[in-house]
Amino acid sequence: MTDSDETPGAARDVTPSADPGAPPPATSSVSLPPPVAEIATGYAFTGPAMELGSVLWNGQCHADAPVRIPLAMLNRHGLVAGATGTGKTKTLQLIAEQLSANGVPVFLADVKGDVSGISAPGQDSPKVRERAGQVGQTWEAAGFPCEFYALGGIGTGIPLRATVTSFGPVLLSKVLQLNQTQEQSLGLIFHYADSKGLELYDLKDLKAVTGFLVSDVGKSELKGIGGLSSVTAGVILRSITAFEQQGASDFFGEPEFDVTELLRLAPDGRGLVSVLELPAVQDKPQLFSTFLMWLLAELFNGLPEVGDVDRPKLVFFFDEAHLLFSGASKAFLESITQTVRLIRSKGVGVFFVTQTPKDVPADVLGQLGNRVQHALRAFTPDDAKALKATVRTFPKSPYDLESTLTGLGTGEAVITVLSESGAPTPVAATRLRAPQSLMGPVPGEDLDRLVKSSLLYGRYAEAVDRESAFEKLSAAERGREEVAVQAALPEGKKEDKSLAEQVVGSGIFRSLARSVGTQLGREITRSLFGTRRR
């Protein structure tokens, strides 16, 4: 079963002592067992909070013991984890719905293509009603305001692009799978392009600058700051070419997406849910995971400090998070950790979604105050080791967490969040509420209509190719060729105001002829990830 196959029907008990074949009844008694009453007290918040579900104890769902999360704590970040088919996607949908209803914009990645249903009302059914009754939920079908995006327009969605300059050398090194030495060399290439006013809008611009710096004319340009070896340049160029062959040319260019579009509210005051449709690029996981990091870095660079607020300005869901950290350099991991740590003060919450907590580095995991852990499997020795490691990340609790985590059914999770005072809440095995929106994709024609009716579609639909490094370096090369031709002509046959004189007299040609120490253009200042500061 996959996440898209889930239904909110009755699931198995979460303790080994209960009969796994019997559907656990909801409780209507106000007299709760002492452990349940103690857990419920830990979730009795006074301020605005989202309803996640109700406590499970000894195989029984206690509707009078709700499990909640304070809105003010959602910028303290979180983790949604669990094996395939345990309900992670529906948990994202449930949280996103309630954030939207509370006026908080949401960004989430739809890797499998089954989150678009959040834009349409859900379908009533006996299973939905059964789940609602178990957790004390008053269920009503509702759709939520959405924008749909696609990387570079591959797939159905408003094209989402970034310039190479904006993306920066650190993130690009990650997606090109460069080693540390190659990453440093790519940083030098960006430094040179920045200082010389050579705009890197797309990948052909980057290839042009890299090729120029190892050419007979350009190889002296970086001599004073370490230089660029032809071997390293060759690796970078081959990596870019392979990247282009995977369709990456569509992702880099203009018009560049303005990330503040993600912070908008719908006319009725609900938060806009921005869904990045990724099914068409599922075979490019490093690209979309790194592109999501670019979005986060851009938000970090552009948003003002707001400190603690009563609700976040945006909550960002990072699906398939393990892809981001796989094979990452030390510098990249340090940058992620620092970004996650600092972006909280910008009012942005980040939720990482993956299979097990061990997929996330310890320094990042330590920043994630809210935890929703779906079922884990223990079929292999590695699974058993991961299970024990997960249990150790939770506060002490009255549950036998190893048994509980392997006994959870679909749509159930072990939860601990940060209370309004910032302290961890008691660990609660929880039966989650049913989403109000459609639990599955909307029809393709409906999705296409929603995309093309958006006010943003006209702004971003068509790619633009302005003059940039490729064109400027090509013009300079033509100028050098013309100079050589003119020099070879007999005296008296040279043309007045030739193309060579025009090009050689231009600012770009003079700039390229000087050493890197003479900066005509203002060098771009860069952030933790080497992305452009706005």
Side-chain angles (χ1 to χ4, degrees):
M1 176 183 284
T2 65
D3 284 356
S4 61
D5 297 322
E6 299 151 20
T7 64
R12 295 183 300 160
D13 298 317
V14 297
T15 57
S17 60
D19 175 10
T27 179
S28 59
S29 171
V30 295
S31 178
L32 298 170
V36 177
E38 185 176 351
I39 292 171
T41 299
Y43 291 89
F45 310 124
T46 58
M50 297 191 314
E51 304 289 339
L52 297 179
S54 296
V55 173
L56 284 166
W57 182 260
N58 284 338
Q60 189 174 23
C61 183
H62 295 267
D64 298 320
V67 176
R68 312 161 73 218
I69 179 170
L71 277 176
M73 290 294 110
L74 281 163
N75 69 334
R76 303 298 178 94
H77 313 316
L79 176 73
V80 179
T84 300
T86 56
K88 298 190 300 293
T89 300
K90 297 302 167 277
T91 297
L92 299 190
Q93 195 167 339
L94 174 67
I95 296 174
E97 289 177 355
Q98 293 195 54
L99 285 168
S100 175
N102 280 280
V104 178
V106 176
F107 177 90
L108 54 89
D110 185 7
V111 177
K112 297 182 291 293
D114 55 0
V115 183
S116 59
I118 196 171
S119 62
Q123 296 176 344
D124 199 352
S125 72
K127 287 186 176 182
V128 167
R129 292 294 173 183
E130 181 182 11
R131 171 59 62 96
Q134 290 170 351
V135 299
Q137 175 186 10
T138 302
W139 188 89
E140 293 182 2
F144 294 81
C146 293
E147 291 277 17
F148 294 94
Y149 299 97
L151 289 185
I154 295 181
T156 303
I158 298 164
L160 199 160
R161 304 182 186 88
T163 63
V164 171
T165 288
S166 173
F167 210 74
V170 179
L171 286 174
L172 194 58
S173 294
K174 162 67 175 172
V175 78
L176 293 177
Q177 303 182 57
L178 303 181
N179 63 28
Q180 184 176 12
T181 299
Q182 294 155 1
E183 179 179 326
Q184 292 169 348
S185 295
L186 187 62
L188 283 178
I189 295 169
F190 271 77
H191 167 79
Y192 179 80
D194 290 348
S195 66
K196 296 300 182 180
L198 293 170
E199 300 88 352
L200 303 177
Y201 292 146
D202 50 32
L203 291 175
K204 72 177 186 296
D205 291 326
L206 181 58
K207 290 170 66 177
V209 175
T210 303
F212 171 76
L213 290 174
V214 291
S215 68
D216 291 339
V217 175
K219 62 185 177 182
S220 63
E221 292 290 285
L222 297 181
K223 185 178 293 185
I225 54 174
L228 175 67
S229 76
S230 57
V231 173
T232 299
V235 171
I236 293 172
L237 288 169
R238 287 194 298 272
S239 297
I240 295 171
T241 300
F243 196 32
E244 288 178 316
Q245 290 173 348
Q246 296 174 18
S249 297
D250 297 300
F251 305 110
F252 293 95
E254 294 187 302
E256 183 173 77
F257 181 69
D258 181 355
V259 296
T260 60
E261 306 283 10
L262 304 178
L263 304 174
R264 294 180 297 138
L265 300 179
D268 61 6
R270 290 184 295 172
L272 197 66
V273 181
S274 297
V275 181
L276 180 59
E277 290 291 317
L278 294 169
V281 291
Q282 285 189 72
D283 59 339
K284 303 175 181 65
Q286 282 197 306
L287 174 64
F288 69 70
S289 64
T290 312
F291 206 95
L292 293 181
M293 203 66 224
W294 171 79
L295 285 176
L296 195 61
E298 287 290 285
L299 287 166
F300 176 77
N301 293 338
L303 292 177
E305 297 278 340
V306 296
D308 290 324
V309 289
D310 61 351
R311 66 194 64 208
K313 298 174 68 174
L314 174 71
V315 176
F316 191 103
F317 289 95
F318 221 122
D319 202 3
E320 303 292 343
H322 64 283
L323 299 171
L324 180 67
F325 304 110
S326 176
S329 67
K330 181 180 178 181
F332 186 81
L333 292 176
E334 289 173 350
S335 299
I336 292 175
T337 304
Q338 192 164 356
T339 299
V340 171
R341 181 183 296 121
L342 298 178
I343 203 169
R344 177 185 69 80
S345 64
K346 305 292 184 87
V348 176
V350 182
F351 274 69
F352 291 94
V353 185
T354 190
Q355 293 206 1
T356 72
K358 71 180 182 64
D359 293 334
V360 181
D363 288 344
V364 176
L365 193 62
Q367 305 296 318
L368 312 182
N370 303 298
R371 298 278 301 279
V372 180
Q373 178 66 60
H374 287 270
L376 290 175
R377 309 304 180 209
F379 299 142
T380 69
D382 285 344
D383 290 343
K385 185 177 179 180
L387 175 62
K388 291 181 181 296
T390 299
V391 169
R392 289 197 297 269
T393 65
F394 280 92
K396 290 183 179 179
S397 80
Y399 294 97
D400 177 348
L401 283 180
E402 284 194 33
S403 296
T404 299
L405 285 171
T406 54
L408 291 169
T410 300
E412 297 172 347
V414 170
I415 292 174
T416 180
V417 301
L418 293 181
S419 68
E420 292 166 312
S421 65
T425 59
V427 174
T430 306
R431 180 158 294 148
L432 297 164
R433 289 186 163 213
Q436 294 175 273
S437 55
L438 183 65
M439 289 188 282
V442 297
E445 59 271 19
D446 291 347
L447 181 60
D448 188 61
R449 176 180 51 79
L450 288 169
V451 169
K452 291 182 178 177
S453 64
S454 169
L455 295 177
L456 300 183
Y457 186 75
R459 187 180 309 170
Y460 295 107
E462 294 297 325
V464 176
D465 188 10
R466 291 192 292 165
E467 183 185 54
S468 50
F470 174 80
E471 288 79 14
K472 291 178 179 179
L473 289 171
S474 296
E477 175 63 25
R478 289 195 300 272
R480 288 190 294 270
E481 292 174 355
E482 181 67 17
V483 167
V485 169
Q486 288 293 309
L489 290 176
E491 194 65 33
K493 292 192 176 182
K494 296 180 180 179
E495 299 177 10
D496 294 333
K497 198 61 176 176
S498 67
L499 174 62
E501 293 172 301
Q502 296 174 42
V503 174
V504 172
S506 68
I508 181 61
F509 190 85
R510 291 196 305 271
S511 172
L512 294 175
R514 296 172 183 166
S515 70
V516 73
T518 305
Q519 296 188 2
L520 289 183
R522 179 177 62 85
E523 186 170 359
I524 295 171
T525 58
R526 294 191 175 275
S527 66
L528 291 172
F529 280 101
T531 54
R532 178 189 59 209
R533 288 192 184 276
R534 295 187 181 277

